[in-house]
Amino acid sequence: AQKITQTQPGMFVQEKEAVTLDCTYDTSDQSYGLFWYKQPSSGEMIFLIYQGSYDEQNATEGRYSLNFQKARKSANLVISASQLGDSAMYFCAMRDSGYSTLTFGKGTMLLVSP
Amino acid sequence: DSGVTQTPKHLITATGQRVTLRCSPRSGDLSVYWYQQSLDQGLQFLIQYYNGEERAKGNILERFSAQQFPDLHSELNLSSLELGDSALYFCASSGPGAVLTDTQYFGPGTRLTVL
């Protein structure tokens, strides 16, 4: 069965600093996709970034990048130059080839201070 | 704006009642997913429809049902409501869902409060 673990319930960072949010996953499949979503206090779920298991390069989208370490089964989200608007819950999710749906971790609450 | 719409945004009702949540997917998306987010259970997948047909089922209670119509909008019906059904219900849409890169885009959610 798929499993996503986010061990950091909360993280604090100062504006303009970089922060890494941890995500480890468990799957027996060789082919899978990893996703990160942001949920601000308003409640909507916003897609941030995707990494495929066969992608040779780490994914990047603007200030977001994914530190993908396949052997360690980790897919950490790195946010560079944090902004106040980055304060939100962040969820890591996975889909493997046997499923069309997503399995989510419990999330990490990020607070960015001025 | 993800392009996925959900109505209503908020719903307050009483135990034992029945409600219907509505979702319109992004233009061109054939798959619709329903998720429930609660404080104790986190984000749980309920059910997926693809082009009108049920494709996958998750932790959906028998009191809950869903369907996807020919115009691809979907409805989630919750009946005999209990206090524990209070949650944020998300609809998401994607392409066929058979490709790993198919990203699910979420609607704004419907916050259901059962009193």
Side-chain angles (χ1 to χ4, degrees), chain A residues 6-17:
Chain A
Q6 294 180 255
T7 57
Q8 307 153 315
M11 291 283 287
F12 292 90
V13 67
Q14 280 203 305
E15 216 177 352
K16 300 187 179 66
E17 291 185 349

Side-chain angles (χ1 to χ4, degrees), chain B residues 50-104:
Chain B
Y50 170 67
N51 203 19
E53 300 287 329
E54 182 184 305
R55 172 165 275 189
K57 218 167 185 175
N59 300 320
I60 188 165
L61 300 172
E62 285 194 11
R63 301 184 284 109
F64 297 0
S65 64
Q67 53 184 326
Q68 186 179 28
F69 295 87
D71 67 352
L72 300 177
H73 92 270
S74 178
E75 292 180 356
L76 179 68
N77 300 296
L78 315 176
S79 62
S80 303
L81 285 167
E82 302 174 359
L83 296 177
D85 298 328
S86 295
L88 187 54
Y89 290 85
F90 285 109
C91 166
S93 76
S94 76
V99 179
L100 283 176
T101 53
D102 269 343
T103 296
Q104 292 182 25

Side-chain angles (χ1 to χ4, degrees), chain A residues 17-28:
Chain A
E17 291 185 349
V19 63
T20 298
L21 307 183
D22 294 343
C23 171
T24 58
Y25 58 91
D26 188 22
T27 179
S28 56

Side-chain angles (χ1 to χ4, degrees), chain B residues 36-63:
Chain B
Q36 178 194 58
Q37 185 180 32
S38 60
L39 280 173
D40 52 343
Q41 298 289 330
L43 262 162
Q44 298 269 313
F45 165 69
L46 296 178
I47 197 164
Q48 179 202 0
Y49 277 81
Y50 170 67
N51 203 19
E53 300 287 329
E54 182 184 305
R55 172 165 275 189
K57 218 167 185 175
N59 300 320
I60 188 165
L61 300 172
E62 285 194 11
R63 301 184 284 109

Side-chain angles (χ1 to χ4, degrees), chain A residues 35-47:
Chain A
F35 302 79
W36 277 90
Y37 286 85
K38 171 185 178 181
Q39 186 177 35
S41 57
S42 51
E44 72 269 31
M45 294 283 287
I46 302 166
F47 166 69

